[in-house]
Structures are given as C-alpha cells and as structure tokens.
Amino acid sequence: MEFTLLDTCLDLSLNSTTSLDELPIKQQEVIGLGGGIPSNDEAASDHLAKEVKRLSGENTKLREVLSVMYDNYNTLRKQYMNNCSTSGTSRKRKAEKITSRVNSELSDEDSSCNKSRVLVHHHHIQRSDHTTLLVKDGYEWRKYGQKITRDNPYPRAYFKCSFAPTCPVKKKVQRSVDDKSIIVATYEGQHNHSKVVLEAGEGSSTTTIGHSHKQPEFNKLLIDQMASSLTRDPKFKAALAAALREKTILTHK
DNA sequence: CGCGTTTGACCCGCGC
DNA sequence: GCGCGGGTCAAACGCG
C-alpha cells in the first residue's frame, strides 16, 4: 500500500511528464467547457488555476528534495570508496561500523573493495504484521539467533541462507527505532546460487544481491531507499497526501 | 521423528 | 587488563 503511494510520489517527482504537469491541460478543458458560464464557475476555475499553480510549486519542491538526496548519496558514496581504498588494514569491527554507517544512508551495491558485501534494505510491513520479523525476499533463511541490542528496544534476528549449505549469506532483521512499521534487513555476503522462490507481488520488497551489478536493479533499490527515507518525513507525507487528494479531486471532475 | 525456532551461554573485538 | 556489547552456538522445545 505504502509502496503504491510512494511509486506515485516518485513518479510525480522524478518524471517530467507527470500527471501534475498535465493538470493545466485538464484545467483548460474545464474552462473551455464553461464558455458562457456564470461568474460562479469563473471563480471556481480561477480557484482551480491557483491550485494548479500551488501544486506545480510543490512538485518543483519535491523534485528539488530528491535532487538534493541524490547529491548526498553520491557524496557519501565517494567518501565510502575513499575509506575503502585508504583503510584496508582496519580491524573487523571498525570496518563494519564504517560500512554500516554508510549503509544507513544508502545501499552500496558495487562495493568491490569490500569482501563481505553489506546491504541494508528497508521493508514496509502491514499493521497486522507487527509481531513478525519475516521478510520475503525470495530466499530461504534459517534463524540462528535473536538478540536485544542497546540502541533498539526491538529484538534483532539473525538468519543464515538455508538453501545451499555452502552459501555464506547472512541477514540481520530488526524493526526500525524511528518507525516500527519499517523492518531493516541487513544482508552480508553474496549468494552463490540463484533465487529459490519468487512469489507474486513481492517484487517491491525483493533484493537480489547475486545480480547486484545490474544497473536497473540498483536504481530500483536506490529508489526504494529514498522512498523509505521520505516516508519517515512527516512534512513530506503531509505534502504528498495533499497533492494526491487534490489530484484525485481534479481528475474526477 | 525430523525440522525449524527459541533462548541462554559463550566467544571475541573494541573502547577505556 | 577488564567490561561491554554484538554475534554465534547449541541444547531444549514445539509443531506438523
């Protein structure tokens, strides 16, 4: 559900031929239809024109926000690559801290300098699903541990890939402190086998680490990351809800 | 009975 | 060197 909303939102923000951009055309149609209409309708169309202007402004703002986020992403990515090339001899935990800090902001897919590839993925869950830490990602996992960590009241579950005995991939799953509807899954390593199950409708929450070099999937993952960040911003949520409400009203007229 | 999950104990790296 | 905390192990347990 939330992903559907976000898809719409990203569409509105990223695509220059968005529905919002088409709104002036629809508004012209309304004005055209009311050629000899009374002053009431003129006032209404005037109001609509103002609304369209306001929405266009919001749309521009949203695009700016996304563009800033993308810039930040690129900066962090560069910093991370620098860290990889300079601190090759750092001890295990330190390296993990660096990678996890970077990954909390972005998911670095092509960290070729990092032997144990770490990938953080945010999953939105249904309200009724709040008791489980199950994340359908197309692989089979065996839980081998659970722990309460210091910085998060929710338990962290540890999983190993159970499909292939030799598969080194592990994942940690923990509810986000900020938003309990978000499950943060941290993947470590690369699968040495293909996906096990591909259930219909799970596409938006699926991460294919084994094929991470594919650019379109990386872009999709990046968008997912950005979307997750955006949904945690109450201002963004409010603006998005308002924009969608207005859009729905206009298209149904 | 076999398999997956739970959970307390243990290990080990890091910071002081 | 010691304590803390995250990660892993493995015995106990539950379910089909």
Side-chain angles (χ1 to χ4, degrees), chain A residues 3 107 109 119-124 134-141 171 183 185 187 191 194-212 214 216-225 228:
Chain A
F3 269 102
S107 67
E109 280 268 320
L119 177 70
V120 180
H121 201 208
H122 296 83
H123 297 262
H124 289 265
L134 286 176
V135 175
K136 287 180 184 175
D137 54 13
Y139 293 99
E140 280 183 13
W141 300 96
K171 89 171 168 184
I183 287 182
Y187 298 84
H191 291 276
S194 57
K195 261 189 181 183
V196 188
V197 197
L198 251 180
E199 289 174 42
E202 73 172 56
S204 62
S205 63
T206 299
T207 309
T208 315
I209 298 172
H211 306 285
S212 54
K214 288 180 183 173
E217 290 189 15
F218 174 49
N219 286 341
K220 188 178 177 304
L221 192 71
L222 176 61
I223 288 170
D224 278 355
Q225 289 288 317
S228 297

Side-chain angles (χ1 to χ4, degrees), chain A residues 172-192:
Chain A
K172 290 179 276 188
V173 179
Q174 190 172 31
R175 214 170 289 288
S176 169
V177 187
D178 303 328
D179 186 350
K180 66 177 180 179
S181 68
I182 294 171
I183 287 182
V184 182
T186 308
Y187 298 84
E188 286 180 49
Q190 267 183 291
H191 291 276
N192 54 14

Side-chain angles (χ1 to χ4, degrees), chain A residues 4 7 11 21 36 53 60 68 92 97 111 136 145 202 221 223-224 228 236 241:
Chain A
T4 320
D7 285 346
D11 235 42
D21 287 340
K53 215 177 232 181
T60 312
V68 168
K92 187 188 165 191
K97 267 189 182 174
S111 54
K136 287 180 184 175
E202 73 172 56
L221 192 71
I223 288 170
D224 278 355
S228 297
F236 176 81

Side-chain angles (χ1 to χ4, degrees), chain A residues 76-143:
Chain A
L76 281 165
R77 190 163 177 268
K78 276 178 193 169
Q79 281 175 6
Y80 176 58
M81 293 309 276
N82 284 342
N83 277 340
C84 281
S85 57
T86 55
S87 64
T89 55
S90 62
R91 297 170 82 171
K92 187 188 165 191
R93 291 251 172 143
K94 248 180 197 170
E96 278 175 3
K97 267 189 182 174
I98 291 166
T99 51
S100 70
R101 197 181 308 143
V102 172
N103 275 301
S104 67
E105 299 293 330
L106 54 96
S107 67
D108 196 346
E109 280 268 320
D110 57 350
S111 54
S112 52
C113 58
N114 186 8
K115 268 184 187 174
S116 64
R117 182 189 296 256
V118 180
L119 177 70
V120 180
H121 201 208
H122 296 83
H123 297 262
H124 289 265
I125 56 171
Q126 302 294 324
R127 289 283 162 206
S128 58
D129 219 17
H130 275 177
T131 53
T132 173
L133 280 174
L134 286 176
V135 175
K136 287 180 184 175
D137 54 13
Y139 293 99
E140 280 183 13
W141 300 96
R142 187 178 61 81
K143 190 177 179 181

